[in-house]
Amino acid sequence: MNFLRGVMGGPSAGPQPSGAETIQKLCDRVASSTLLDDRRDAVRALKSLSKKYRLEVGIHAMEHLIHVLQTDRSDSEIIGYALDTLYNVISNDLEEEEQEENLPKQVDNLGSQFTEIFIKQQENVTLLLTLVEEFDFHVRWPGVKLLTSLLKQQGPQVQQIILVSPMGVSRLMDLLADSREVIRNDGVLLLQQLTKSNAAIQKIVAFENAFERLLDIITEEGNSDGGIVVEDCLLLLQNLLKNNNSNQNFFKEGSYIQRMKPWFEVGDDNCGWSAQKVTNLHLMLQLVRVLVSPTNPPGATSSCQKAMFHCGLLEQLCTILMATGVPADILTETINTVSEVIRGCQMNQDYFASVNAPSNPPRPAIVVLLMSMVNERQPFVLRCAVLYCFQCFLYKNQKGQGEIVSTLLPSTIDATGNSVSAGQLLCGGLFSTDSLSNWCAAVALAHALQENATLKEQLLRVQLATSIGNPPVSLLQQCTNILSQGDKIDRRGSKVQTRVGLLMLLCTWLSNCSIAVTHFLHNPANIPFLTGQIAENLGEEEQLVQGLCALLLGISIYYNDNSLENYRKEKLKQLIEKRIGRENFIEKLGFISKHELYSRAAQKPQPSFSSPDHMMFDHEFTKLVKELEGVISKAIYKSSEEDKKEEEVKKTLEQHDNIVTHYKKVIREQDQELEELKQRINTLTSQNEQLQATVTQQVSQIQQHKDQYNLLKVQLGKDTQHHNSHSDTFQMNGIQVEEVSKLKEELEEWKNKHELLQGQLREKDSVIEKLKSSQLEMGTTEQSSQTSKSGGLEHNNELQKELEMLRSQIQLQSAEISKLQIENQKLQVMNTTADPVFGDGGATAANNSELEGRLQQEIRELKSEVKALSEEKESLKQHLDSSSSTVAILQDEKSKLQQEVAESKKEQDDLLVLLADQDQKLSALKIKLKDLGVPVEDEDDIESGDQGDEDEEGDEEEQD
C-alpha cells in the first residue's frame, strides 16, 4: 500500500522511496505481473517518470519496455505508453523548463548512448517498423516520433537497418498518405532524417511516388503562402534531389518541373511578407537551383533549363526579378536562381536579353541590374548576385558578348544620351572612386571578352574622353594609366582590389590576342612599370599585385608576334634576366596560385565572399592562370633559337592542318556527290517500278480481251454447225460480202503493224546486247563505282524483262490475228458455198433472215474487238517508245557515272600521295622537336589518325 500511495500521490506514513527505487519496483511489476492492467499501470507510471528520471528509466526499464512491445501488441494503450517512454528516454527534445545550463553535453551523450543500446539488436528497429504500420493513432504516432529520434541520434546505422529490412522504406512512405495531418507531418520529418546523405534510400523514396505526394501536400497547404509543413516538404525535396542525378532525371521526366511554376506566382501587392513566406520562397528558389546547378552533369542541367523555359518558369522568375516590394534576400536569391537557369543555355540567354524592366522608358533588365552592381549604396550580397548573373548571361554566349561590346564601340553609342547602355555603365564602374565597383566592372568586362578573339580586337577601337580639351585615349591606355597611378587616386575600399581587377582584365584581354599585345607594348611606359612592380620587395598585400604583373608580362612575351623591334620576345627575356632574374620572376608568378583567396575562387563559379575585402579573384580567371602559368614558365627559359624553331614548327603544323582540312572538305564534297547519285538511282528505280505496274495492268486487260474472244469463238462455232445443217437454204446478201472484205483489209494492216513491232523489238534486243557487253567490259573497275554500275545493270535487266514480256504479248496478239484469218477463210468458204443456192428462195426465207441478222451482229462485235485490239496495240507501242527512251537515258547516266568514278579515283590517289608526303614531313618535324627537347603533344597524331579513319570510312561508303 505504501508503494501505491507513493506512485499515486497519496499520503505516506513512512519515509519516501527514491526515484531509482520507485523505477526499479515499477520495472519488477512490468516484468512479473500477469494481469495486463497491472502492467499497463506500471508502464504508464514509467512514462510519467521518464522525463525527470531519464537516466534511471533508460538503464532499468528499456529492456522491459522492448519486451512489452514484443508480447503485448494486442493492447494498443500499453504499446503507446511504452513507445512514449522510449521516446522520452532517447530524444533530446526536452522541455525548456526542464533544461539546465550545465546539461546539454550530457543530454546529447545520453540520447546517443540509449539509441546505440536500442539498435544493437536490429530486431528492435524491425519491430518498430511493424508498429508504425498500425493504423491506431496511439501506436502509430509515438512510433513515428521514436523512429525519427533514433535517426537523429544514429542516422547512418539506423538507415542501414531500415534499408536491409524487407519493405522498410515502403512502410514509411505510407505515412504521407495518412489522413491525419499530425502523423503525415511527422512522417515528412521522419523521411527528412531518413534520406540525409543516403543516395540508395533517396532513390527508393523517389520511386515510391514521393515527388507526387509532396507536391500535392505543398499545393494543398497553399504553396509559398503555406505554413511550416510546406517548409518541411521543401527540405525533404532538397534531400531527394541534391547531388542525386538519378532523382533529378526522374523529377524532370515526370513533368514535375511544370508543377513548380505556381510557386512563384506573386501578386502585385508585395508588401507585408510574412517570415514563413520568405522562408518558403527561399527554399523554393534553392530547389530550382539544385536542378540547374553548375556542378550537375551538363546534359542534365541543359535539359532542366530547357524545360524551365518551355513551361514558363523562367518567365515567372524574371517577373519576380523586376517586381517592386520584394524583400532583399528573396531578390538576391532570385537573381542567383535566374543566373543558373540561363547559364550556358543559348535559348534562355536570348530570352533574358529581351526582358525589360517596367520603367518609362523601358530599360533592359541587364542594364537595370548593372546599375545596381556599380551602385555602392546597394548591399554587398546583392551586388555579388548581379555580377554572377552577368557572368552567367555571357557564359558560352558569343552573341551576348558581342551585344555588350557593341555598346562601347563608336558606331553604336547613342549620341543623344537619352539612354544608358551596358557598356557605359561598365566604363563608369571601371573608373569610379569605389574599389568594389572597379573590381566588379573589370571582371564583368573580362567575361565579355572570354574566349572571343574577335571582340578583343574590336575593343581596341574604344576611345574615351578623359577631360575637356585633351584628345581621347583608348580604353586599353586608360586602364594602364589608372594602374600605373596606383595609390595616387583616393578611393573608397581596398586599393589593392582596384589594381587586381584591372590586371585580371588586362590579362584576359591580352591572352591569345597578338594584336592586343602589340597595342599594349606600343606604350613605352607599360613594360618599365611592370618590371618595376615585380622587382620591388613589397608587403604581403602587394605580393598578389606582383604576381599578376608577372603574369601580364609573361602573356606579353608568350603571345608576342615580334612586330615591334624594341619589344621582341628575346629582348623582353633579356630585360627580365637583368632587372628581375628568371628565378625571382617564376617565384613572383607563383604567388597567385598559392594565395588562399585564389583557392576559394577556384572551387565554384558563383562569387561568394564574406566581405568586400576578400573579393580578389574570379573563377574563370583561375582557369586562365592554371592554363598559362606552366607555358609562361617554359617560355621564359627558352632561347631565341628554340623560339624560332618552335615558330617554324607551328607554322608547318598550321599549314599541315590547313591541307588536311582542305582534303577533308574535298572528301566530304565527294561523299555528297555520291549520295546525290544514289538518290538519282533510287528515283529511276521507282520510275521503273511504276512502269512495271503499268505493264502488269495492261497484261491483265489483254487477258480479259482474250477470254472475251474465246467466248465469241465458242458462240461462232455453234452458229457454224447450225449453218451447215441448213446449207441448202443459206443465202448471203451483198452487205455481208463487204464486211468480210473490210475484215481482210484490217487483218492486212495488223500484219504490217506486227512486222513493224517485231523490227523495233529486234533493234531494242541489239541495244540491250551492246549494253551487256559494255557492262561486262567494265567489270574490273574499282569497288567505289560498283554500286552505281550494279544499279544501272539491274535497271537494264529489268528493262529487258519488260521488253520480253511485250514481245510475248505481241506474239499472243499475232496468234489471235492468225485465228481471225482462219475465221475469215471459213466465212469466205461459207460465202462461196452459199452463192449457187442464192436463187432458191421460198420455204426457208424466215430462217435465212434470222441467220443473216445474227451474222451481222457477230461481225459488228468482231469489228469492235478488232478496234479495241488496235487501240491496245497503239498503247503498247507508246510504252515501247518510252522504254527505249529510258534505256537511252540510262546509257547516258552510266557513261557519266563511269567518268565521275574515274575522276574520283584519280583525285583520291592524288590525295593519298599528298597525305603520305605530309605525314612523312610531320614525323620528321616531330623527331626534330623531340631532339631539341620540346614536348610534342599527341593531338596532331590523333588528328592524322582521324584523317586516316575518315579516308577508310569514305572508301567503305563507296564500296557499299
Side-chain angles (χ1 to χ4, degrees), residues 57 358 417 433 436 582 586 596 620 674 692 827 931 939:
V57 174
T433 56
L436 185 59
R582 292 180 180 178
I586 299 300
E596 180 184 1
E620 293 296 327
L674 286 174
Q692 287 181 347
L827 290 174
D931 295 337
E939 294 178 358

Side-chain angles (χ1 to χ4, degrees), residues 733-744:
N733 57 18
I735 298 174
Q736 291 173 337
V737 176
E738 293 177 358
E739 293 293 337
V740 170
S741 62
K742 289 181 180 180
L743 285 174
K744 288 181 180 180

Side-chain angles (χ1 to χ4, degrees), residues 408-647:
L408 286 166
L409 299 178
S411 59
T412 57
I413 294 178
D414 187 5
T416 61
N418 293 331
S419 61
V420 180
S421 66
Q424 292 171 344
L425 289 171
L426 290 177
C427 284
L430 194 62
F431 306 126
S432 70
T433 56
D434 177 35
S435 61
L436 185 59
S437 297
N438 299 153
W439 191 91
C440 291
V443 170
L445 195 56
H447 275 263
L449 304 175
Q450 200 79 34
E451 298 179 358
N452 199 323
T454 304
L455 296 182
K456 292 177 182 179
E457 297 177 6
Q458 290 185 3
L459 201 63
L460 296 171
R461 298 164 44 202
V462 177
Q463 300 290 323
L464 301 174
T466 54
S467 60
I468 300 175
N470 294 328
V473 297
S474 66
L475 177 61
L476 181 64
Q477 181 64 41
Q478 184 66 12
C479 290
T480 55
N481 291 341
I482 295 175
L483 188 63
S484 61
Q485 290 175 4
D487 299 335
K488 298 178 182 179
I489 301 177
D490 186 18
R491 300 182 184 277
R492 291 181 295 276
S494 173
K495 296 180 180 179
V496 175
Q497 193 175 41
T498 299
R499 285 186 285 169
V500 168
L502 289 172
L503 284 169
M504 285 196 299
L505 172 60
L506 291 174
C507 289
T508 305
W509 194 347
L510 269 60
S511 64
N512 203 20
C513 184
S514 301
I515 298 177
V517 172
T518 303
H519 279 72
F520 179 77
L521 296 176
H522 197 269
N523 186 352
N526 289 338
I527 296 300
F529 168 74
L530 293 178
T531 54
Q533 288 286 319
I534 299 169
E536 291 182 7
N537 292 322
L538 303 175
E540 185 176 353
E541 292 184 357
E542 297 292 333
Q543 285 183 352
L544 190 56
V545 177
Q546 286 184 316
L548 291 171
C549 288
L551 179 65
L552 183 59
L553 183 56
I555 290 173
S556 301
I557 294 174
Y558 185 73
Y559 292 105
N560 191 347
D561 59 357
N562 295 328
S563 57
L564 295 177
E565 184 62 30
N566 294 332
Y567 295 103
R568 298 174 64 85
K569 285 185 178 181
E570 189 60 30
K571 291 187 178 180
L572 291 176
K573 291 179 185 178
Q574 294 174 0
L575 184 65
I576 291 175
E577 181 68 25
K578 293 179 182 178
R579 299 272 183 92
I580 304 170
R582 292 180 180 178
E583 291 77 10
N584 190 24
F585 178 85
I586 299 300
E587 181 184 359
K588 297 293 177 68
L589 183 62
F591 284 164
I592 302 174
S593 57
K594 294 177 182 178
H595 202 279
E596 180 184 1
L597 298 177
Y598 174 89
S599 302
R600 290 183 186 177
Q603 293 176 359
K604 58 181 181 178
Q606 182 181 1
S608 56
F609 306 98
S610 56
S611 66
D613 294 336
H614 293 163
M615 207 172 194
M616 289 293 176
F617 285 108
D618 172 60
H619 178 75
E620 293 296 327
F621 181 73
T622 60
K623 295 181 181 179
L624 181 66
V625 173
K626 191 181 298 184
E627 177 186 348
L628 294 179
E629 187 176 6
V631 296
I632 289 175
S633 301
K634 292 179 182 178
I636 294 299
Y637 285 100
K638 285 182 181 178
S639 63
S640 58
E641 295 179 357
E642 291 177 346
D643 286 337
K644 290 180 181 178
K645 291 180 179 179
E646 185 176 354
E647 289 179 1

Side-chain angles (χ1 to χ4, degrees), residues 366-385:
I366 298 174
V367 173
V368 175
L369 292 175
L370 288 177
M371 292 172 69
S372 301
M373 186 185 75
V374 298
N375 187 354
E376 56 186 297
R377 290 175 294 181
Q378 293 292 339
F380 171 67
V381 180
L382 179 63
R383 298 173 74 180
C384 290

Side-chain angles (χ1 to χ4, degrees), residues 3-4 7-8 22-47 64-65 68 71-72 75 77-79 81-82:
F3 168 72
L4 290 175
V7 174
M8 304 306 294
T22 304
I23 292 169
Q24 185 61 51
K25 292 177 182 179
L26 290 171
C27 291
D28 294 339
R29 187 178 173 189
V30 171
S32 59
S33 296
T34 57
L35 294 176
L36 180 61
D37 293 339
D38 291 343
R39 293 198 302 274
R40 187 190 303 118
D41 294 338
V43 173
R44 185 191 296 115
L46 285 173
K47 174 188 172 184
H64 300 293
L65 294 171
V68 168
T71 58
D72 293 329
D75 185 64
E77 191 173 357
I78 191 173
I79 294 293
Y81 292 147

